[in-house]
Amino acid sequence: PESNRSQSIIECLQKEAHALKISTLYKTTIESIKKIDNHFLIFSSQGNILAKNILIASGSSKSGFRLAESFGHTITPLS
């Protein structure tokens, strides 16, 4: 972003999510996620959710990396 602030990225993602009518859950603990056919079953502190897509936004959290790897993604360290 031009401002070189992380808040600009957050605002950009929020604006685009709103435009696409994407639901965002705050203050929600994700207990686990299971891939079922072409969907994800998300077990959360607010109940179970069925989703076509998920976005893992965990910063540098190792648990976020492990979750991405569990779905076949690879993590490439920055040099």
Side-chain angles (χ1 to χ4, degrees), residues 7-76:
Q7 186 61 37
S8 298
I9 295 169
I10 293 167
E11 290 167 0
C12 178
L13 289 171
Q14 288 174 328
K15 181 179 176 184
E16 192 65 19
H18 179 74
L20 295 172
K21 298 182 175 148
I22 296 171
S23 299
T24 304
L25 298 175
Y26 298 97
K27 297 182 181 180
T28 303
T29 301
I30 303 302
E31 296 158 3
S32 65
I33 301 175
K34 189 174 187 181
K35 180 99 190 235
I36 301 175
D37 298 321
N38 293 325
H39 290 83
F40 295 92
L41 181 56
I42 303 162
F43 301 90
S44 81
S45 60
Q46 297 199 22
N48 297 343
I49 304 158
L50 189 63
K52 286 185 181 180
N53 301 290
I54 58 172
L55 170 68
I56 302 169
S58 62
S60 61
S61 164
K62 295 207 183 282
S63 63
F65 292 167
R66 284 192 298 273
L67 179 60
E69 288 175 331
S70 75
F71 292 113
H73 294 279
T74 56
I75 305 301
T76 305

